[in-house]
Amino acid sequence: MDLNSDLGEGFGAWQMGDDEAMLDIVTSANVACGFHAGDAGVMRRVCERAAERGVTIGAHVGYRDLAGFGRRALDIAPEDLADEVLYQIGALDGFARAAHSSVRYVKAHGALYNTAAVDPEQAAALVEGVRRYHTDLALLCPPDSEMLRAAQAAGVPAYAEAFADRAYTPEGLLVSRKLPGAVLHDADEVAARALTMATTGEVVDAEGGKLNLRADSLCVHGDTPGAVELARRIRESLTDAGVPLGSFV
């Protein structure tokens, strides 16, 4: 099972999360590419640290929305979105290659992730940006989503992920961050939830029902309060149960 986290989300003097600590825990790092967070220095440092630790580097692409941290949906033409996805991948891959590594996959951030999960047009544009960079570049996406279907249609390798620290609707979508209980903070709950996801694919939704989210990777957000402890507990619960950890690519 892969364990991924959104990292490199500082900007200038503003710091977000503890990238150093998280890179000692996760197997894949979704690194912000400068559109929703991150800058040249942040991208360089995170790529260097990830390469040193053998952590797989992914491009965490988003809408061009620094002020809103990429969590506001934007009305952007598909061709423009494809270009901006391509731009972000190329920027991060430059730093990854300078660190003697490379970008191996792409994961959308925030509003782009949520929109492309259900909007076929936005999903196709996101996938087109990935495909234009390299046909072997993988896409990390929600199970049974428009994003997954668009990747499969375009011949882009697609892998499903589940969120250990987020609540799900009965439809299998992430509960809006505007609603209470959308983000989970209890370490025991999150660790147990992650283990169940990894071993059975099941997760209890916000209304008490069961979803089957067979995933290749589990995500814990780097900006969640207590993220390092959550990630550490998740890793411990998986390794204690004999679940092997490794990048999905």
Side-chain angles (χ1 to χ4, degrees):
M1 176 59 67
D2 177 66
L3 183 59
N4 79 77
S5 186
D6 304 338
L7 303 179
E9 292 185 321
F11 186 81
W14 174 56
Q15 295 185 358
M16 173 69 80
D18 188 341
D19 293 338
E20 288 280 348
M22 291 295 280
L23 284 168
D24 285 331
I25 301 169
V26 300
T27 52
S28 296
N30 319 314
V31 185
C33 304
F35 272 34
H36 76 275
D39 57 31
V42 171
M43 287 191 281
R44 176 185 59 79
R45 288 190 293 274
V46 175
C47 284
E48 288 175 349
R49 304 301 185 270
E52 289 168 0
R53 292 163 171 80
V55 174
T56 300
I57 297 171
H60 200 30
V61 302
Y63 290 131
R64 189 189 292 267
D65 179 28
L66 279 173
F69 196 58
R71 288 180 174 158
R72 301 181 294 190
L74 299 183
D75 184 10
I76 179 171
E79 186 66 19
D80 292 337
L81 177 57
D83 288 342
E84 295 205 337
V85 167
L86 176 61
Y87 181 99
Q88 292 175 80
I89 299 169
L92 186 68
D93 198 35
F95 289 106
R97 290 181 182 277
H100 308 291
S101 185
S102 64
V103 168
R104 300 288 306 283
Y105 69 94
V106 175
K107 176 183 169 181
H109 167 80
L112 177 56
Y113 187 96
N114 293 331
T115 302
V118 298
D119 185 321
E121 190 173 61
Q122 291 277 286
L126 168 63
V127 169
E128 179 61 13
V130 175
R131 188 197 64 78
R132 287 177 183 175
Y133 193 81
H134 202 292
T135 54
D136 289 339
L137 205 58
L139 182 66
L140 194 57
C141 49
D144 192 28
S145 63
E146 292 298 334
M147 205 189 303
L148 181 65
R149 285 184 278 275
Q152 292 171 336
V156 171
Y159 296 86
E161 75 166 337
F163 290 83
D165 60 351
R166 290 294 308 276
Y168 281 91
T169 69
E171 294 75 29
L173 302 175
L174 295 176
V175 172
S176 170
R177 285 179 176 268
K178 297 177 182 178
L179 300 176
V183 180
L184 309 178
H185 300 284
D186 183 272
D188 290 334
E189 177 189 2
V190 171
R193 184 181 178 89
L195 180 58
T196 301
M197 287 177 171
T199 55
T200 71
E202 291 186 348
V203 62
V204 177
D205 65 43
E207 296 184 7
K210 285 188 177 181
L211 297 169
N212 191 325
L213 300 176
R214 292 280 179 184
D216 304 293
S217 181
L218 298 178
C219 177
V220 57
H221 286 87
D223 65 320
T224 299
V228 173
E229 179 60 20
L230 290 180
R232 185 174 290 116
R233 291 288 299 279
I234 290 170
R235 185 176 179 113
E236 288 173 354
S237 71
L238 295 177
T239 55
D240 288 349
V243 177
L245 294 177
S247 173
F248 62 93
V249 291

